[in-house]
Amino acid sequence: MVQAWYMDDSDEDQRREHRLKPDQPVSVEELQALGVFYHKLDADNYETDPELAKIRKDNNYTFMDIITIHKDTLPNYEQKLKIFYEEHLHLDDEIRCILEGSGYFDVRDKQDRWIRIAMEKGDLITLPAGIYHRFTLDENNYVKAMRLFVGDPVWTPFNRPADDLEARTKYLQLLEVELKA
Ligand code: KMT
Ligand code: NI
């Protein structure tokens, strides 16, 4: 099962775990309450995996590509890593599945605390439009990930503060509904 935990606020290397002491783990159910969804897939057979086919069909994820983040293969590697780690949101869901390697997605909880989600091979995650988040490689410095999208992809990040965007206000409304439910 995917591991997630609350982060410390030390400014040491972003690629380290940054666990609190004592560790404060976060469950898949707690992630769900933030609108973050997790699935485990068969990363070795993703081209023929019926579960992935179903997720794509049910959610209309018509677009799919693969991004490899490694210093020798990704153009403007250092710059891209900086952009990925700036706190931002998108107008659409961000859907990623790890095919090789690993990395961390950090998301803000309702109290604006950082949760670190350790993503490994076969982990698929959906971050809802409007959630503040960021991504970093871990100390393995390598990830190959599938990106899914509804229609023509738009990867534009809106760095925080982006509180006036409709995607943000809608996300906050969604959280409120979930809180009351
Ligand atoms: C993003 O948008 O933050 C990324 O694509 C990060 C890399 S996907 C593991
Ligand atoms: Ni993003």
Side-chain angles (χ1 to χ4, degrees), residues 34-79:
L34 300 174
V36 173
F37 289 92
Y38 171 79
H39 298 271
K40 188 78 187 182
L41 292 179
D42 180 1
D44 288 323
N45 298 300
Y46 70 90
E47 275 148 326
T48 53
D49 182 9
E51 216 177 317
L52 176 60
K54 181 170 168 23
I55 289 170
R56 289 188 64 182
K57 185 163 178 285
D58 290 352
N59 295 284
N60 198 27
Y61 296 151
T62 46
F63 177 91
M64 188 263 262
D65 76 357
I66 288 170
I67 181 170
T68 302
I69 305 179
H70 183 270
K71 65 175 169 32
D72 300 334
T73 59
L74 188 70
N76 303 317
Y77 170 79
E78 292 292 345
Q79 187 195 348

Side-chain angles (χ1 to χ4, degrees), residues 88 90 94 96 127 133:
H88 64 271
H90 304 281
E94 178 167 327
R96 300 288 186 270
L127 307 181
H133 67 279

Side-chain angles (χ1 to χ4, degrees), residues 8 29 35 44 47 58 69 88 100 113 120 123 131 136 139 144 153 167 174 179-180:
D8 67 25
E29 290 74 23
D44 288 323
E47 275 148 326
D58 290 352
I69 305 179
H88 64 271
E100 288 175 13
R113 292 184 294 169
E120 295 177 353
D123 292 339
I131 193 173
T136 180
E139 289 175 285
K144 179 176 165 186
L174 181 109
L179 270 177
K180 282 181 194 144

Side-chain angles (χ1 to χ4, degrees), residues 11-12 16 27 30-31 34 45 60 77 79 81 83 91 98 100 103 105 112 116 130 137-138 146 155 159 168 175:
D11 51 15
E12 68 171 7
R16 302 192 65 145
S27 68
E30 287 170 282
L31 294 177
L34 300 174
N45 298 300
N60 198 27
Y77 170 79
Q79 187 195 348
L81 289 184
I83 292 169
L91 306 186
I98 308 301
E100 288 175 13
F105 282 94
D112 220 24
R116 174 149 281 192
L137 289 174
D138 60 22
M146 183 195 308
W155 311 123
N159 288 347
R168 181 64 188 168
L175 281 190

